[in-house]
């Protein structure tokens, strides 16, 4: 019964990222067509809603606003952020 809202990536490799906000509490970030992206994500980023976010796959923490994908995906190839209450 939760809602899905797409989060649009911006930057030179924005076409290679799919990201969604689920029920306002979970952000999933998945690369697509990875073999075509070349080295790194360049200036590509996504913007997450207000709040503190924990990446449950890496233990990293993020604040609201813009997150560079080269930082988010440096340790693991996908991101799964959960809003910290």
């Amino acid at each position: 019964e939760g809602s899905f809202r797409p989060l649009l990536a911006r930057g030179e490799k924005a076409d290679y990222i799919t990201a969604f906000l689920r029920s306002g509490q979970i952000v999933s970030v998945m690369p697509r067509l990875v073999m075509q992206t070349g080295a790194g994500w360049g200036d590509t980023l996504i913007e997450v809603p207000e709040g503190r976010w924990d990446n449950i796959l890496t233990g990293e923490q993020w604040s609201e606003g813009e997150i560079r994908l080269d930082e988010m995906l440096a340790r693991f190839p996908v991101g799964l952020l959960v809003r910290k209450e």
Side-chain angles (χ1 to χ4, degrees), residues 8-22:
L8 300 177
R10 293 194 320 263
E12 62 185 276
K13 297 184 181 175
D15 291 340
Y16 298 102
I17 286 292
T18 301
F20 289 94
L21 175 65
R22 171 86 166 143

Side-chain angles (χ1 to χ4, degrees), residues 48-61:
V48 296
E50 66 181 61
R52 300 276 307 154
W53 297 89
D54 288 338
N55 186 336
I56 63 170
L57 302 173
T58 64
E60 296 169 300
Q61 296 182 344

Side-chain angles (χ1 to χ4, degrees), residues 3-70:
S3 63
F4 279 96
R5 187 182 96 201
L7 297 176
L8 300 177
R10 293 194 320 263
E12 62 185 276
K13 297 184 181 175
D15 291 340
Y16 298 102
I17 286 292
T18 301
F20 289 94
L21 175 65
R22 171 86 166 143
S23 300
Q25 299 298 312
I26 298 171
V27 172
S28 58
V29 180
M30 295 90 31
R32 56 184 289 278
L33 306 172
V34 176
M35 297 302 289
Q36 297 176 19
T37 62
W41 290 100
D43 67 349
T44 309
L45 54 87
I46 64 164
E47 187 167 342
V48 296
E50 66 181 61
R52 300 276 307 154
W53 297 89
D54 288 338
N55 186 336
I56 63 170
L57 302 173
T58 64
E60 296 169 300
Q61 296 182 344
W62 304 96
S63 295
E64 62 196 69
E66 297 176 343
I67 302 174
R68 293 180 53 99
L69 291 179
D70 59 350

